[in-house]
Amino acid sequence: MKILFAASEAVPYAASGGLADVVGSLPKAINAKGHDCRVVTPLYKAIDPELRRQMRFLTNITVDVSWRKQYCGIFTAVTEDITYYFIDNEYYYLRDGLYGFYDDCERFVFFSRAVLEMLKYIEFTPDVINCNDWQTALIPVYYNIYYKYQQGYDGIKTVFTIHNIEYQGKYGREVLGELMGIPAYNANLLDYDGYVNMLKGAIETADKIVTVSPSYAWEILDPWYAHGLDRILVTKQYKLMGILNGIDTKRYDPETDPVIIERYSAKDTSGKDYCKLALLNELGLDEGEEPLIGIVTRFVNHKGIDLIRGVFEEMVSMGIKFAILGSGEKIYESFFSEMAARFPNRVSVTLGFFPELSHKIYAGADMFLMPSKSEPCGLAQMIAMRYGTIPIVCETGGLRDTVRDNGGINGNGFTFKTINANDMLNAVERAVSDYENKDVWDSLVKRAMNCDYSWQNSADVYIDMYRELIAKE
């Protein structure tokens, strides 16, 4: 099969979050199983100059953005046996940063149309185009309106993956004609609650809708999680499914990770003790056997940071030490900075995101606290387990699908069910209790490290889904 992944970011070229990790990893796993999976993404200014020098110019074309005709350059490169295509337009993409601009709607209207126009010039006609998040949501819309019956485009299936339903691409209705060039008689595809909703357009027109975990697929049918889209999703359940994300097990491997001070494995975890000691020293925390909890996250409400804030001092009074890395809302940054000032020997806070430090926290911490109130999949809890760091999570979305409470014999972490600070605290207390029993804890660490969250299993599910779609033609 031939599959084209369309996404607004992809490792190793440009990344702002988990989407880039998925798009940089899943195609590799699909190709390893004998298929031809390629990726298309914008040619951002942020791309490393060395990677840019490896790109080859294919051609340039013009792309319609409503009544405008815009330049579009097409470049290509091969990285780790994946063919990447890059959509170039310096007006749209030669900027500092990937998103957050006043004209993001126009930038990704252009990208969506350019992806479809590109197919005429690259000698690669996919069986399936897998689109990701609102930035590519217009691809299935445009395909159904303009391309479906054109020569060379017939039979292409479209899949739309929702990585986070909170981000929908909502704009005023004026963009339909001014930017998108959508005829009035097709406006109903994107019209929702008085706005143009790009995600809604993809839900209407894609052949399959995928979420990044099975639990999230049924959660988004509930108004609590759906951010207003539950009404349309309930009518499209027949084409909705959830496939659990994986992680890049080569990038996150305690046996080979060049960042950490000592390598280790599930068979011999002794190196983890050295990693903890090195982390404590680097962060200026007291040495000792007390449990060290790692937190690597964005400081926003839906990540459960308010739950942590509510019982933080109680956790510190239990003897727990904290290695915290992240940034976000000022109220939470200020709170954690205050805690670090009050408890300098027990609490370390690093504002921002530093990949090397995140690896050291995954390897050096004993537990990983991730109390998200909503989590489409989550990668951090799987990465933590890969390093033998035991996750403490709320049972939601992908956290529910990956972490089993250690109250049973097959547990690989600790969970709590309700969005409540005291319930979270109870899970932390249970984790500390098990930590004090070395045999119990060592067994738990080995079970966590032996969990398989590679892309191999998920790739099989994606391939089966693609085959089913193509067979319906």
Side-chain angles (χ1 to χ4, degrees), residues 106 179 221 224 467:
E106 182 177 344
L179 295 181
L221 302 177
W224 174 263
R467 282 195 176 120

Side-chain angles (χ1 to χ4, degrees), residues 1-12:
M1 287 185 297
K2 294 184 287 185
I3 302 106
L4 179 66
F5 263 73
S8 59
E9 56 185 78
V11 169

Side-chain angles (χ1 to χ4, degrees), residues 50-92:
E50 182 57 38
L51 292 173
R52 190 180 286 261
R53 280 191 286 272
Q54 297 171 17
M55 297 177 188
R56 178 168 57 89
F57 175 75
L58 293 180
T59 188
N60 65 276
I61 59 175
T62 58
V63 171
D64 291 341
V65 180
S66 189
W67 50 268
R68 308 162 188 77
K69 289 192 178 292
Q70 298 283 40
Y71 165 85
C72 173
I74 303 171
F75 291 77
T76 188
V78 178
T79 299
E80 296 189 53
D81 296 325
I82 303 174
T83 298
Y84 287 84
Y85 297 103
F86 302 91
I87 300 298
D88 176 41
N89 180 295
E90 292 188 354
Y91 172 70
Y92 291 133

Side-chain angles (χ1 to χ4, degrees), residues 213-219 225 244 373 375-377 381 393-405 412 415-417 453:
S213 70
S215 286
Y216 197 58
W218 58 260
E219 282 182 350
Y225 294 99
L244 186 69
K373 301 173 183 178
E375 193 66 64
C377 177
Q381 82 280 9
V393 305
C394 182
E395 291 185 18
T396 184
L399 302 179
R400 178 191 291 110
D401 294 330
T402 53
V403 182
R404 303 181 305 275
D405 192 84
N412 59 2
T415 69
F416 59 100
K417 294 182 182 295
Y453 292 120

Side-chain angles (χ1 to χ4, degrees), residues 339-356:
M339 291 299 103
R342 285 181 56 191
F343 308 105
N345 299 323
R346 291 194 172 277
V347 179
S348 167
V349 175
T350 305
L351 298 179
F353 182 70
F354 304 94
E356 288 196 1

